[in-house]
Amino acid sequence: MAPAGDASRHGSGDGIFDVAIIGAGVIGCALARRFTLAGARVVLIEKAADVLDGASKGNSAILHTGFDAPPGSVEAACIAEGYREYLEIRARLNLPLLKTGALVVAWTDEEAATLPDLIAQARANGVDDVEPLTEAEARRLEPALGPGVRAAFRVPREYVIDPWSAPHAYLRQAVENGARLMTSAPVTAGVFDGGTWCLETPRGTVRAGLVINAAGLWGDRVDDLLTGTTDFTIRPRKGQFVVYDKPAAALAGHILLPVPNKVTKGIVVCRTAFGNLLVGPTAEEQEDRERAGLVPETLEALIRRGTEILPALKDHEVTAIYAGLRPATEFKDYRIRVEAARRYVTVGGIRSTGLSSALGTAAHVHRLTAGLLAGHQAIADPVWPRMPMLAEHETRDWQCAGNGGIVCHCERVTRREIEAALDGPTGARSLAGLKRRTRVTMGRCQGFYCSEALAAITAGRLAVPMTADPTTAPPAAAGGEA
C-alpha cells in the first residue's frame, strides 16, 4: 500500500518540482494530468486527507455542451474543449457515458419567450444541433412531464457521467506517470525568490518553479496568502439535492433542465450514472466555506418541485439527500490569470461547469504557461489506467468472477472493489473518499447492513477510522454537477 497521502512513481530529482498545484479537486486533478503528460515534474497539494473533498464532492454529474455559456467567454471555450477531450479519452480510461440528451423546458409564457434567444446562444457556442419542440413534441419524448409545459428544446449531446471516476482517473494517470500527490498538506505560507517558490505545509516545504492555485472554495484566500492580493472574492453558493431510489429513474429519459437565469442553471431532474434519479440543486449564497447544511424546508420544496415536473415521483422513495458548495464569485466568467514575472497562476471561480470544463481548463492553462515551462518533452508512451466501472448501465464487478463477494448489497459493491480503492496509488484515505471510489454505503440502507463488514476491511487504513454504526458515518452523496 502506498504511504498515506503521499503517492508517486518517482520524486522531483533535484528536489524542485516544475509545477506545484494547490487543490486536488476536479480542476487540480485535470491540471496535474495535463502538465505531467506534457513532461513536467508535478506535485499536487491538498489540504484534506483525501482528494475531491471540497466543491468537487457534490454536483449533478452532467457533461455539458456549454450551450448556455456566455458566448466568447473563457468558460464557453473551456467547456467545449473539455467536452471534446472527455469523449476522446473516456474509453481508454474506462469512464462511463450515459447518452441521455437534455430538454430545456419552459413552464411559463415568459420562459417560453426566452427559448429562441437560448437556441441562438447555443448555436453561437457551436451547439448547432439543438431542436425546438412544441409542448406536444416534448411530451412525446417525456410522457411523465407534469402539467404546465409551454415549449421546450432538445440538446441531444448533453450527457450524464460519473462525477468522481473522471477526476480520479485524471489523478491516477498523473501519478502513474510520475506526479506526486500530497494530502493533509494545507499550504500555510509561501515565498518566491525570483526563480523558485517555497511553499510551507505541515508535511514539509515544497519547492517549485511554477505555482498554480486551484484551491476552489479557498482560491481567493490562497491568492492573498501567496501574493498579497486577489481580484475576486469567493461567495460560496450552496446546492441541496434529493436522490430518489433507482426505480424512479424510469420516469425521465432526458436530463430535464429549467430555463436558466443570470444566477443559476436552476433545478435539474435527471438520472445518475448509478441508476438513481436526482432533483436539485438549490442556489443559496452563504458565508461558510466548509459546511453545506441540509435544511428540511428546502428539501421539502425540492421534493415538491420535483413532483411538479414529474408527478409520478410522489410514488417513489427518497434514497439520500446531500448538499455541496460552488466557488462562485462576483463575476460570471472563470478567473484565470497568469503572473509570468512571479511564476504564479490563479485558476479560480469555476463553479457550475467545472466537471465538464476541467480537461479544457487544464489545456487552456497549459497553453498560457508554455513560455514558463520551455524545454519539456511530452511523455511518449504514457500509462493509461483503467478505472473501476460503477455505472449501472455497464458491466459491474459483482457480475465478474473472483470478486470476493458483495459487501454492500444495495449498490452491489464487491470486496475486490473496496480493496482496490484502498490499495491503489491514489487510494482512499477517508470513508467519504471510499464512497466516491466505490459507492459503498450509498444505497437504500445507507450502510445499515454493511458498515460492520466495512469497518473490518478498512481498519487501520483510513485517516479517521470508521465504526460499525452507520449513524456515525458522514451523509451519503450521489453525485453531480450543480
Side-chain angles (χ1 to χ4, degrees), residues 397-409 412-419 453 457:
D397 192 57
W398 67 269
Q399 297 166 291
C400 303
N403 57 42
I406 294 175
V407 176
C408 170
H409 286 261
R412 292 178 283 199
V413 182
T414 69
R415 184 175 185 114
R416 179 166 61 188
E417 288 177 305
I418 295 168
E419 295 281 3
I457 295 170

Side-chain angles (χ1 to χ4, degrees), residues 292-322:
L294 293 164
V295 180
E297 294 79 8
T298 304
L299 295 169
E300 289 169 6
L302 269 180
I303 291 171
R304 283 198 301 275
R305 183 58 190 148
T307 306
E308 289 169 357
I309 295 170
L310 296 174
L313 268 181
K314 70 180 188 307
D315 299 322
H316 291 266
E317 298 287 338
V318 171
T319 293
I321 50 179
Y322 71 97

Side-chain angles (χ1 to χ4, degrees), residues 23 66 89-90 117 119 168 207 277 279 415 419:
I89 68 174
R90 73 169 192 89
D117 287 343
I119 291 172
H168 281 137
R207 302 174 70 199
L277 189 86
V279 179
R415 184 175 185 114
E419 295 281 3

Side-chain angles (χ1 to χ4, degrees), residues 49-189:
D50 208 333
V51 302
L52 310 183
D53 195 61
S56 297
K57 67 185 175 187
N59 59 73
S60 49
I62 297 171
L63 183 65
H64 289 294
T65 58
F67 77 91
D68 59 344
S73 63
V74 174
E75 180 185 21
C78 290
I79 293 173
E81 187 169 6
Y83 179 97
R84 283 194 301 271
E85 187 170 357
Y86 181 87
L87 295 183
E88 288 170 4
I89 68 174
R90 73 169 192 89
R92 297 191 73 178
L93 294 172
N94 201 36
L95 298 175
L97 185 75
L98 187 58
K99 292 188 174 182
T100 56
L103 293 190
V104 179
V105 182
W107 296 91
T108 67
D109 291 337
E110 291 76 15
E111 290 178 349
T114 69
L115 294 188
D117 287 343
L118 278 172
I119 291 172
Q121 185 174 347
R123 290 172 176 157
N125 284 329
V127 186
D128 54 8
D129 55 352
V130 294
E131 307 163 8
L133 302 172
T134 64
E135 177 194 355
E137 290 168 334
R139 289 194 181 283
R140 272 197 293 275
L141 291 172
E142 292 293 343
L145 281 172
V149 175
R150 297 293 191 274
F153 66 88
R154 183 169 183 262
V155 190
R157 291 180 290 113
E158 294 262 311
Y159 303 135
V160 170
I161 62 177
D162 176 342
W164 303 307
S165 288
H168 281 137
Y170 309 154
L171 175 60
R172 272 192 59 182
Q173 190 169 31
V175 170
E176 292 188 16
N177 284 285
R180 182 179 178 188
L181 170 66
M182 290 179 63
T183 52
S184 302
V187 174
T188 56

Side-chain angles (χ1 to χ4, degrees), residues 317-480:
E317 298 287 338
V318 171
T319 293
I321 50 179
Y322 71 97
L325 294 173
R326 296 98 109 178
T329 73
E330 65 271 46
F331 302 102
K332 175 71 174 173
D333 205 356
Y334 294 174
R335 311 307 297 168
I336 298 178
R337 186 185 72 250
V338 177
E339 291 186 56
R342 195 153 37 182
R343 303 182 70 82
Y344 182 85
V345 184
T346 298
V347 186
I350 299 176
R351 46 190 188 199
S352 296
T353 50
L355 178 64
S356 301
S357 77
L359 294 169
T361 300
H364 176 65
V365 173
H366 184 254
R367 285 192 294 272
L368 291 176
T369 57
L372 302 176
L373 293 168
H376 293 133
Q377 293 293 320
I379 298 175
D381 186 21
V383 177
W384 284 85
R386 301 260 314 159
M387 300 303 293
M389 178 53 69
L390 304 180
E392 191 80 355
H393 63 289
E394 300 281 2
T395 300
R396 294 279 307 278
D397 192 57
W398 67 269
Q399 297 166 291
C400 303
N403 57 42
I406 294 175
V407 176
C408 170
H409 286 261
C410 293
E411 291 297 314
R412 292 178 283 199
V413 182
T414 69
R415 184 175 185 114
R416 179 166 61 188
E417 288 177 305
I418 295 168
E419 295 281 3
L422 291 166
D423 288 348
T426 56
R429 301 292 173 248
S430 67
L431 176 58
L434 186 61
K435 291 179 178 186
R436 292 192 286 269
R437 289 170 176 82
T438 64
R439 295 198 52 73
V440 70
T441 77
M442 295 178 76
R444 184 74 179 274
C445 85
Q446 295 287 284
F448 184 84
Y449 291 107
C450 64
S451 288
E452 184 174 357
L454 193 60
I457 295 170
T458 60
R461 302 163 87 172
L462 300 177
V464 178
M466 68 172 291
T467 70
D469 180 359
T471 63
T472 65

